[in-house]
Structures are given as C-alpha cells and as structure tokens.
Amino acid sequence: MNKGDALLKFIVLADLHIVAEGSLSHGLDTTDRLNKAIDFVNTNHADADFVIVAGDLADRGDLPAYQRFEKAITRLELPVHLTLGNHDDRTNFLSHFGPDLAAETGNVDHVIDLKGQRIIVLDSSDRSVGGSGLLETSQLAWLQARLDEARDVPVIIVLHHNITRLHTQNDFIILKDNAEFAGIVGSHPDIRQVISGHVHMTTAGTYKGIPFCTLAGCHYSIDPTLESRSGPRPSPVARREGPGELAVVLSDGEATVVHMEKFIDRHLVIAQELFP
Ligand SMILES: [Fe+2]
C-alpha cells in the first residue's frame, strides 16, 4: 500500500439506539433521528467514500431493532461498515446480518484500505463487562498484525468505547483494556485518530500520546458534570434531546481533520440579514 495524497472522506455515526417498531427510547424516536442523519449525509456528504456506524446500533440488542435498523440504513447512498457497542448483542446481530460480517476474530472488526490510508474498525462490545468495552486477546493480536502490515501509511481507528477516562460520570464504563490497546497502537508511527462514540458527548484529547475524539452521536446527548477531585460521582446525569451529531473525517497524506457536524440542532439559526 502506498501512502497517497488523495483526500479520503468518511462519516462516522454512533449510538443509534434503535428500538422495535412502535417503541421509543427514553422518549426519543431514535429511528426518526437516524433517518435525519441519513438525509443529512445523503444531502451534504454524497461525495464521502463510506460511512462507519460505530456501535450501539440497537438499544437492547434485539432482532426487531436490527430489522428496523437494516430497513432504515438501506436509504444511505454510501457503502456502510458496521460495528457493535455495549447495547448490541453480537449473536442477534450476526444471526440477522450473517456471519460474514465477523472477522477471523469472531468479532465485527474490519480493515478498510483506501487512498493510501488504513482504517481499522474494532468491535469493543463484550457483555461480560457490563457497559464497559473490552478487546479480546485475539483481537489485540489481530490489531497488532493489521498495524504491522501498514507501517508505511496513516491509520485511523474507529471503535465504540472511549479509550480513556474523560473526568465525567461515565468514567466507569470505558474500554477496560485501554493500556494494552495503547501499547499496541503506540507501536505504529502514524496513528491519526482513534474515534469513538459511547459517551454521547463531544470530546478530544490524547491518551498515552494517542490522539482521540468522541462524537455525541444520534441519541440523547449528555451535559457532563466534570468530576471534582474528592467528591463522589454526581448523579443523575443531565441529558438533552439534542443535538444529533456525526463526525466527518477528512484525511490525506499529511493531516487528518475531524469535523463534528450537527444534524439536529437545539439552537435557532441567526437570520442572514444580521450578517451584512
Ligand atoms: Fe455505548
């Protein structure tokens, strides 16, 4: 694979939390919100190379939700790559979409090589760790191999769970083997971004030198109470019905930029005549 100068463009959606027909998720019509995201992408980003849906496709991992999700996502006019989050059920997902969506790891992992760049999509769902995420030993070995064979090109990683604490209420459900993940990822000379959903918040930072960001996604968004150094975890978490947010990734041989775009906005647009 040769490092290219062509501009790679892809979209990340996350946290759809689709429920069965006739149901709402915490009062929200999550399928309607997904449809708004799809319309936004089809209208504004038809030139993107593909879309990644980074987990929590279904709110309770049930088959009717996956059926409803599949029906909705077919309206997207771009290739789609899926992976799972803590709300998903891998057995139900693979029984509906077929075993071919699993990599040799048995998880819904993918490698996409395009325009001289490699995108690695990791399935961090693991029902044994509750809402947290976990990459199995086989997945970590697979990740190392995929990075080793792409040492000469930029790599972007997408997975559901955030890879470090964000100093918010939800720090107890992050990627549990984040130190092992960072040890492997840190061996690659050109990691551009690790992009996650899960937290329903927009953040950016670094973890052990690895740049990461999180997108607020399609479901409710969280107004975090940043942790105090001594006090107990504050609760309850304040949740807003918007905005709905997706990530637009633009990446070439030199730089990778992530734009967080709102496809549902809780603010009014300021009239054009106020900007003479
Ligand atoms: Fe999640």
Side-chain angles (χ1 to χ4, degrees):
M1 199 170 20
N2 294 317
K3 191 167 178 169
D5 290 326
L7 184 66
L8 172 73
K9 175 178 179 178
F10 66 94
I11 310 296
V12 183
L13 303 178
D15 297 287
L16 312 184
H17 292 266
I18 301 298
V19 290
E21 196 92 37
S23 302
L24 299 175
S25 173
H26 304 291
L28 298 179
D29 183 343
T30 46
T31 300
D32 178 60
R33 294 167 76 87
L34 172 60
N35 283 329
K36 287 186 166 75
I38 291 170
D39 289 341
F40 184 89
V41 173
N42 286 342
T43 303
N44 299 292
H45 298 299
D47 60 335
D49 293 296
F50 54 85
V51 174
I52 297 171
V53 189
D56 284 359
L57 313 178
D59 193 48
R60 291 186 283 277
D62 55 307
L63 283 169
Y66 288 124
Q67 287 157 6
R68 199 175 183 197
F69 163 69
E70 184 181 33
K71 203 169 141 192
I73 205 74
T74 52
R75 292 182 49 249
L76 195 54
E77 296 163 3
L78 291 167
V80 185
H81 303 276
L82 308 176
T83 194
L84 305 181
N86 50 297
H87 282 257
D88 288 302
D89 182 301
R90 191 176 302 114
T91 304
N92 283 347
F93 174 84
L94 291 174
S95 78
H96 181 70
F97 287 97
D100 289 352
L101 283 200
E104 58 262 41
T105 55
N107 295 309
V108 188
D109 305 315
H110 310 284
V111 172
I112 305 157
D113 289 323
L114 198 63
K115 297 182 178 174
Q117 300 179 55
R118 170 161 283 193
I119 300 89
I120 300 176
V121 183
L122 290 169
D123 174 357
S124 57
S125 70
D126 188 320
R127 295 219 140 192
S128 73
V129 292
S132 300
L134 191 70
L135 298 171
E136 295 169 13
T137 308
S138 63
Q139 279 181 290
L140 292 171
W142 182 87
L143 172 62
Q144 182 76 70
R146 300 294 79 76
L147 291 171
D148 288 347
E149 66 196 16
R151 288 189 63 79
D152 296 337
V153 301
V155 171
I156 300 168
I157 297 175
V158 179
L159 78 167
H160 181 70
H161 287 85
N162 47 309
I163 60 168
T164 187
R165 298 168 62 224
L166 301 172
H167 304 280
T168 69
Q169 295 99 323
N170 288 332
D171 281 350
F172 65 109
I173 50 169
I174 69 170
L175 182 71
K176 279 182 87 76
D177 44 357
N178 56 347
E180 291 87 342
F181 170 83
I184 291 167
V185 171
S187 71
H188 190 279
D190 194 5
I191 297 293
R192 294 294 183 81
Q193 270 294 316
V194 176
I195 302 170
S196 302
H198 184 55
V199 288
H200 299 213
M201 286 183 279
T202 317
T203 71
T206 60
Y207 171 61
K208 294 181 184 281
I210 299 164
F212 74 85
C213 61
T214 67
L215 58 144
C218 294
H219 203 203
Y220 61 79
S221 61
I222 288 176
D223 272 352
T225 305
L226 303 186
E227 70 179 7
S228 68
R229 286 179 184 273
S230 55
R233 191 160 58 89
S235 70
V237 179
R239 298 177 175 92
R240 292 182 185 273
E241 64 179 42
E245 183 179 88
L246 51 79
V248 182
V249 184
L250 299 167
S251 187
D252 63 18
E254 287 190 338
T256 297
V257 178
V258 184
H259 289 267
M260 299 300 182
E261 293 200 345
K262 313 286 186 280
F263 63 89
I264 301 170
D265 200 331
R266 61 180 182 241
H267 301 296
L268 293 173
V269 175
I270 301 174
Q272 191 59 44
E273 52 265 34
L274 296 174
F275 294 88

